[in-house]
Structure formats: structure tokens, C-alpha cells
Amino acid sequence: MKQTFNVTGMSCSACSSHVEKSVAKLEGVREVSVNLLAASMKVDYDESMLTADDICRAVEHAGYGASPKDIPVSAQGRGSSCGVGCGISSAPGAKTYVNPMAGEIKNMKFRLIVSFIFMIPLMYIAMGHMMGLPVPAIFVGAENAVIFAFTQLLLTLPVVYVNRKYYINGYRMLFKGAPNMDTLIAVGSSAALVYGIFVIYQMAYGQGHGRIDLVEHYMHDLYFESAAMILTLITLGKFLETRSKGKTSEAIEKLVNLAPKTAVRIREDGSEEEIPAQNVLPGDLLLIRPGASVPVDGQVEEGHSSVDESALTGESIPVEKSKGSTVLSASINGNGALKIRAVKVGEDSTLSQIIRLVQEASASKAPIAKLADKISGIFVPTVMTIALAAFLIWFFIIGESFSFALSIGIAVLVISCPCALGLATPVAIMVGTGKGAQYGVLIKSGDALETAHKVDTVVLDKTGTITMGKPRVTDILPSGNFDPDTFIQICASLEQLSEHPLAGAVLSYAKEKKLSLLPVDHFQAVPGRGIRGDINGHHYIAGNLKFLEEEHIQGISQNDDNSPWLEAGNRLSGEGKTPLYFACDNAMAGIIAAADVVKPTSAAAIKALKHMGIKVVMLTGDNQRTARAVGKIVGADTVISDVLPQDKEKEVRQLQEKGQCVAMVGDGINDAPALTRADVGIAIGAGMDVAIESADIVLMKSDLLDAVTAIQLSKAVIRNIKENLFWAFFYNSLGIPLAAGLLYPLLGLKLNPMIGAAAMSFSSVCVVTNALRLKFFKPKGIDSTEDCAPSGQTAEAKVTTIFQDKAPLGGSTQNLAPGNFSDENIIEKNESEESVMEKTMMIEGMMCNHCVAHVTKALNGIDGVSAVVSLEDKNAKLTLTKDVPDDVLIKAVTDAGYEVTAVR
């Protein structure tokens, strides 16, 4: 069981360290992490040995409060509290951001106002005469000494009372043997207060017994103003610190407030009704008017519009949506009206998943934080020992006055509060993960955020990561007898009855060109070869080279070394493309080449990674020829080809064994083992459900440039944390000796307790302010306009250029990226191709990515089977390294709860 708890009463990193130790001692606890900033605790424990109540009791026994917290939060307001610097109103349909620190800030503000109201006249009475200010005669002279002192006491008591929290917490933790920051404040101010009362008694005794010398001596030993000033300045620092903390969660706040209050549901009779957004159920038909926010994840049933998804994915350009498109919750509709079918609602929506991810990451603890925790655990007892030793040395050994020694001890106590140490890491992580969310980079933990800055090797899956993941038409080479549009129309008409994957690419291109399809007579598919059919009285053949040779098509014979068609086909194959040959009435009609094209930003991302000194490895199951072509285009350092899905994890492990820190970037489904093995797993794509399980970082836009952003953000956050820790350590290293009076014998420098309190508060505010600088983070050295097309052209424009060239062989789209890539960087695995068998299994019943995960797990659990499951195509592509009967495969899927309709 992994559970999150709210923890109350913590004031410094010594507190969080003590809570961690108390819970870690429980039998059954595997791991515990306490976050001071978020006032939360994550516990991984064996629920058969331990309950949540046991954990809460352990925290309470340590002197703090604890209660379980439900992390999942509905974007529509079903949840009660986000828990990490933000909250969501529990009112139905609410989208209002509720700051959980609001009550604390309000209380602090009241305490601060009261403290200043009484502290200002106190300071005037106590120190006005030193500054030459007019002081009422009733407070001047030895004869008025008791009035002078007693008035200060009366003005100090309200300040002590409203800030009694420091005394309650501080002394409770002291008696439990775990002193914290409150203990230092309580002991220091109590010492000043008690000594002041002792002085009043001495002066009263002196006045009553005619000892004016005693009265005059003690008149200048009052420390009431120091006690009041310490409490006031500490509260001021805490108030400013808490207000600054609120700013660290602005990214979550913006996400939470995106969710609309209401949704327009369309009834079965066609009428419309406005309902609270949290009442939407899966399957409901909703109307999204122009300019409205989308309340849930859904699929477009009717309409066409552009939708702004920038708040979720960071993508600034609106995305076109039409029937069949997926829309995400909290995205904003453009000018067109849409009717969508609700798919994921409430806590299952993309927005809720993003919020939950950012919250969990913000509440997590990076390994670097353990350094501060270890120091803080022994820091407070050490400081108290130093303060006591300083007092004893100055009073008993050096022989200074009691008041002098006491001020030294108090100064050491109040300047040493380890607030800055406790805040150094969590504030930076909270701001960093929030900033990542704004760029569409979801970081799951502080551990991942820290590890990413050490990455020196990035392993990239090819299909769906570097490339689009689906074949697209790249080259059109019609013969002189056909104009390009006619050629495409005939080819698409012939392919419309084919089940070959590349047929879909041809049909999609024809659809983009808005070409109508022609009827086909006498259609015949020849397995492993191609197809044939009649269109408008002409006989057409389409397929691979071997098929057309068998049909004795003119100009395509292997024996003809001068065949321009063979030359074109070989060139296209060498570029990693698959040529489809078309013939009309026994003569060549042309070639269409298709390929899984490289994403426009992949080359720019790899260039940016290499500029950062990171080695880029492309890992693919494709053949050596395709791998070489894609590797040259994008400029990868090394390409490892012919790798089976189950062997990707082994390749990552081998790189790690060479001492490299590896980040694996994949689609989060068939790359799951490699993502888990890598030091940092980065999942590409909006396949949120599956990707979240295996990856440390999720890239919402499926853009490799965001992997660069993630690494740069990690470097910026870790640099910020180190700055915070340095200044926190430097401040205490400098402040404690100064407060202890080490410079007093040489330079006469002595730190007043009031100055020490101000300095301590200022250090915490500085740490939080420094962390807030991360809000201005921007990725550097990324040119998102760079792509793999010729200068000034997109991939689509390259095809158009070929269209315009009506020579029989068209043109070339070859554009190999310059670099140090060479053939020796190609690594081909030696598995025998004869031992590998491929099958396609058609599956019914899969509804979401959870279904995909279940089927993938069931099939990959069979020895010798590697499966890639597609929700869109309702099938599973199987790679078998041994002979596995079909009934075994079918049983595995059936037992998982799904139906197999065919195995090919």
C-alpha cells in the first residue's frame, strides 16, 4: 500500500526528519518520505502488518498530527484538497482554487498585526532614550524603574500570547527529546522573558531597601523588547515565507481553475440541458459551444472546429478537430460548435491526471534533500549545546556579566533555526514540476527530476518517437501517361479493398487531396505479393517488385540493368522507404513510396541533445537499411537495429553497465521494460494511462523537443537547489560563530538577539525567493522550426514538388542531415530472421488504454511472444521467436476478458 498523509505541526526540517524516523521504525514500513513544504507524508507499507491508524498514532506519538489524505482529485471539484499548495472547492461544479494555506496566512496576519501594535510602543519606551527621543517622565529615572520595567512586561505579554504556538510546539518537542525550530525560539525568548521578570524583582527589592545602586544596575538588563522583537520578526518571516510558498503552486492553480462549472448535455429527444460538470457520465452526448471549455475527455461525434490545448500540452497552435477526433478536458473550443461523446470523466480525465501527477511530484523528495534532512536531524540539539556552552564560557570562564552571557546564548538560538535548510529542496521541486506542466512535461517525482540532470546518453525508440508511427506517402512517381492526381486516384481506388498497412497511407493521401474513389471490378488479393483489379476497362496491378516481375510487366525486369523503375525503386528503398509498384495493362504506371516519416522536430531535438554533450542512440526493431536512413536524417550518434521489443531492456542495461546514465524515450507501451530499466524513463504521447505506469516523465505533446526541455529543467532545478543549500549552510556557518561572540574579543562585534531573529527570517525568505526564479525558466538552444524537409518546405510540400515534376521518375526527397554519422555506427543484431514469425491477431472488446495494457501483459506473458497492441486498429502485432499454437494465444486473450476474431 502506498498512501499519502497530511501532517500538522511541522515547522522546520528537524521536524520532518523526526516524523520520518518515527514512522520508519514501524514494522511493515518499506519507505517513508515527509515533505515539509507540502505538510505531507508518503508511506509505502505492508497493509497486512500495518494500518493507516497505526501510522497516524506513530506521528502523534512523535508530537505532531496526521490524517490520511486521498490524492486523486476531480478537476470538476469532487475532491476536497489537492494537498500540495493548492485545493479545490468541494462545492458541486466548482472550479475555484482554494489555497489550503489561506487559514494559516490569515492567522499569521492577525498575530503580526497584534505583535506590531504592542511591540512599537514597547520599543519606544525601552530604547527611545537611547535615540534621543522624548520619553514620558514616568519612565525616566531610578525612582520610576519598576514602572519602566513593569510597563514593558505588560506590553510584551500580548505578543507572547498571540505567538504562544512557538512555546506549545517548542516545549512539547523538547520534552519528547526532539527539539526543533520552535524549541529554539521558545527557549531563547523564554530566557529573555524570565530574566526580565527576575530583574523586576531585583529592582523592586532595591527600591524597597534603599539600594539605588542595585536599581540602576538592573535597569539596563531588561530583555523584554528582545523577546517581543524575536517573536514578531520570526512571525513576519513566516508570514512572508508562507505567502511566497503560495506562489510556487500557481501552475496547479491555473490547471484547476480551467475546469468549467457546467456542461451542456443533449438528451435523447435532442433537447439541451445544463448540468453540473461533475454529473457528466461516460457515454453522455455534450454540446461544446464556440469559446467554451471542454468539461471532460471525449470523442467528437459531430462538427468541426479548432481547439486550444495549450494549457494542457503547451502546444500554442490550436488543433483541428472533426468527427472521430479526441478532445481533452479543459481545452478551449474555437469558432465551431462540437458534439462530443464523454469518455473519461471526473478523476479519470486528462486534466485530473495531470493535476495528480504534478501534486505527487511536488510532494516527493529528491535524493539531494536527504543531505539537508540528515544535517537537520542533529542540527537543533547541536545548536542548543553551542548556545549553552557559549553562555557558560562567557559567564563563568571569561567573567562577563550574566546579561551579556545570556544575550550571547539567546542570539545563538534564534539565528540558528534551520528553516532555510528545510525549504531549500521542496520549494525548488514544487516550482520546477509546475513549470514543467506548463510546457506539457509531466514529471512524476523529485527523484526523476534530480536524476535527469545527470543523463549523458539518451536512447530513442524510432517508431512513434522519432517518427510519426504511421506510414505516409512520401514520393509520387507517375509515368508520363498519367498526371499526378489521376495516378493517385486510380492507385487509391485499387488499394481501397486491400488490408495492407501501406494501403491506408495511399487512401489517406487521396482523402487529403479530396479525390473521389472509382469502382473496382474483378478485385483479387495475392497474399505476400499484391493486388489486381479492373478500373474503367483497364487492368491494374499493384504490389512489390517480385509480383510485377512474375506478371512480366514491361520495363521492370531484374535482368534489365538500365531500367529507370528499378533504379528509382532501389533508391527509395535505400532511403528507408517502401516502394509500391503500379502497372496498367502490362506496362509500368508509376511508383508510390511510403514510409513512417520522421516528425518535423526530431532532428532539432537530437541536435539540441548533442549540443548539450549527450550521446543519442536510436533503438529500433526495423531492418538495417531503414535504420540507417532514419539515423542519417535525424543525426543520431549510434543506431541499433533489428532489436526485438523484449530485448530493448537488455540494450539499455548494457549501456548502463558501461557507466552511462541513460534516459529512455519511448511510447510507454511496448517500451515499458526499457523505460523501467533506464535511469530516467520518458514516455512520448498522450497514451497517459499506460505511460504513467512505466515512465518517470510524460511528454504530453509527443514531441522530442520536450525531452530536451525536461533535461534542461532538471539542470535548472538542481542548480537552484544547490544554490539554496549553499546559502543555507553558509548563513549558519557564518551566523553561529558571530552570535557566539567569537569576534567580540578582536573587533568588539556582538550580535544582538533581535538582529539574529531578523537574519534568520530573512534567510528563509531568500531561499523561497530564489526558488521562485525558476518560474522564469525557458528552454535554451531549441529551434523548433528546424525539420527534416528541404529548406523552407514541410514534408507535405516535398510531395507537392514531386507532383509538379511530371517526368516519369519524378524527383527525390532525399535530404540527409550532415554530421559525423557513418555506417560503422549501425549495429545490427544477429538474431536469425528465419526463427522469427509474425502474426496479427484481431481483437474485439478493447475500449481504452487500460484494455491495451491488459492484452499486452497477457500476450507478453507467453514465452517467445512479443506483442504490440493497437486500440485504434483493434489488433495485436505478434513477433514469435518460437512456435506458439494459435489456441494458446487465443486463450491468453480470452482469459484477459476479450474476444479474438481472427489470427493471421
Side-chain angles (χ1 to χ4, degrees), residues 285 299-303 322-325 338-342:
L285 185 63
Q299 189 173 47
V300 176
E301 293 281 325
E302 184 181 325
S322 56
K323 185 176 181 180
S325 300
L338 295 174
K339 290 182 180 179
I340 68 168
R341 186 74 62 182

Side-chain angles (χ1 to χ4, degrees), residues 6 17 52 78 97 100 123 206 250 259-260 290 296 305 318 450 496 537 553 638 708 723 796 890:
N6 291 311
S17 178
R78 291 178 181 170
Y97 174 76
M123 295 298 294
E250 284 182 359
V296 297
S305 183
E450 177 174 343
Q496 67 181 310
I553 302 301
T638 302
V708 181
E723 290 170 356
E796 191 63 37
I890 294 172

Side-chain angles (χ1 to χ4, degrees), residues 234-249:
I234 295 295
T235 303
L236 174 62
K238 282 288 184 183
F239 176 72
L240 295 175
E241 175 189 311
T242 306
R243 286 187 59 184
S244 298
K245 287 179 188 176
K247 295 181 180 180
T248 63
S249 58

